[in-house]
Amino acid sequence: MSGIIGKKIGMTSFFDANGKYVPCTVIEAGPCVVTQVKTNEKDGYTALQLAFDEKKEKHTSSAMKGHFELAKTTPKRKVVEFRHFEEEKNLGDTLTVEQVFAEGDFVDVVGTSKGKGFQGVVKRHGFGGVGGQTHGQHDRQRAPGSLGASSDPSRVMKGMRMAGRTGGNRKKIQNLEVVKIMAEKNVILIKGSVPGAKGSYVIIEK
Amino acid sequence: MSLLLDFVKKQLVGEVNHPAFKAGDTVTVHYKIKEGDKERIQQFTGVVIQRKNEPTTASFTVRKISNGVGVERIFPLASPFIDKIEVNKVGVVRRAKLYYIRTRTGKSARIREKLTTSKEA
């Protein structure tokens, strides 16, 4: 696996060479700095820790300051570990988008989905709702209906889908196409949508 | 909107060289149509009733009356299928979106033409 940390900028669309209208997400990806190299001998597994996005020194804890100093780099906001990174990298190396991805690649994107608050079952689990509003139907159009049977089992089964907090959790979307890479601005365009709000961090991996 | 997004949009759209036109103008859009592996050009003439000026996703709507039925067509300005746009008439209108035209017929649906002297043209 190899990957990079990015920041979601927004969405747009354009006509490609075949005249197809392509919707895409604009992500500012990298440059990332290698802040730690984990090895089999020392840590029991191999991984690469990458850091992305500048942060002021006064907002950095002493512990993290020391960690970034080891890699001879400035403090960064987002630090992510990538397991079994394909390319060999040393401490303090920088990674840019075009080193990791090429146009036409298929990637997975991880992000934190937008929080939706407390939602009912129709939005949260895709329940169909009741259907009609007439024929004596009361005001229960979006109600979940029955939760279970009567005397057997006399309880609600575990894992019953109900209303509750929705969104705001880690989501991975697989197999998204890289449509374009603009290396001079560290921008990568990915076909379709990507989880998260504008300005939120995403992990792009291959 | 973020500056970076603006930059990306400008990069994507490239150069589009169409004559300037606005709502109220009468234009002819030469639109390429693919039939199998053949390509032909179809013309669509009518009044521009709106123009949306987003950098990459700019579009405009052309309205005409065909056999007594109002027909509207929305074209993306950056579309590679637009061969060319001809401006036939420049109209004098007071709004940017002429949705009110839809409810009018006959004389009241007319748009005054801007007359230009030969010097200006």
Side-chain angles (χ1 to χ4, degrees), chain B residues 18 29-32 60 75-77 79-85:
Chain B
H18 290 312
V29 181
H30 296 249
Y31 200 74
K32 291 180 208 159
F60 60 99
F75 296 98
L77 201 63
S79 170
F81 294 107
I82 295 181
D83 188 41
K84 63 174 176 181
I85 301 172

Side-chain angles (χ1 to χ4, degrees), chain A residues 14-201:
Chain A
F14 69 101
F15 286 96
D16 70 357
N18 304 322
K20 278 257 156 56
Y21 206 41
V22 185
C24 56
T25 310
V26 180
I27 297 172
E28 186 186 0
C32 293
V33 183
V34 179
T35 47
Q36 195 178 355
V37 183
K38 296 201 170 176
T39 54
N40 252 331
E41 300 85 64
K42 209 175 167 191
D43 310 279
Y45 65 99
T46 60
L48 215 56
Q49 192 189 72
L50 300 182
F52 169 67
D53 213 9
E54 289 305 316
K55 152 162 134 172
K56 278 187 179 160
E57 208 166 309
K58 65 172 180 179
H59 295 143
T60 315
S61 68
S62 311
M64 285 314 278
K65 255 185 225 170
H67 187 65
F68 289 121
E69 244 163 53
L70 277 179
K72 294 191 175 55
T73 177
T74 49
K76 303 273 187 286
R77 272 179 200 281
K78 187 79 179 166
V79 178
V80 176
E81 191 174 288
F82 291 82
R83 277 217 175 193
H84 310 299
F85 211 84
E86 270 166 26
E87 290 111 67
E88 285 280 310
K89 288 282 168 191
N90 297 321
L91 196 65
D93 285 359
T94 44
L95 257 172
T96 52
V97 232
E98 79 268 24
Q99 285 172 359
V100 187
F101 303 113
E103 281 170 26
D105 279 0
F106 285 91
V107 295
D108 299 344
V109 181
V110 184
T112 308
S113 63
K114 281 184 184 172
K116 306 261 186 300
F118 194 98
Q119 294 296 334
V121 287
V122 173
K123 193 184 192 83
R124 191 164 188 231
H125 299 297
F127 281 22
V130 158
Q133 288 193 24
T134 54
H135 296 296
Q137 181 61 47
H138 199 55
D139 56 352
R140 290 171 54 82
Q141 284 90 349
R142 295 173 73 90
S146 168
L147 296 183
S150 169
S151 58
D152 182 19
S154 292
R155 63 188 173 89
V156 175
M157 290 293 183
K158 265 193 179 173
M160 187 71 207
R161 292 174 299 167
M162 293 191 194
R165 287 269 185 107
T166 307
N169 37 27
R170 184 187 157 102
K171 287 274 174 232
K172 182 191 263 185
I173 308 275
Q174 293 180 314
N175 238 11
L176 296 171
E177 193 187 344
V178 175
V179 244
K180 228 180 190 71
I181 288 173
M182 295 175 181
E184 75 276 15
K185 291 267 182 188
N186 294 310
V187 163
I188 183 167
L189 299 188
I190 285 172
K191 189 174 173 183
S193 57
V194 151
K198 284 179 210 167
S200 66
Y201 292 109

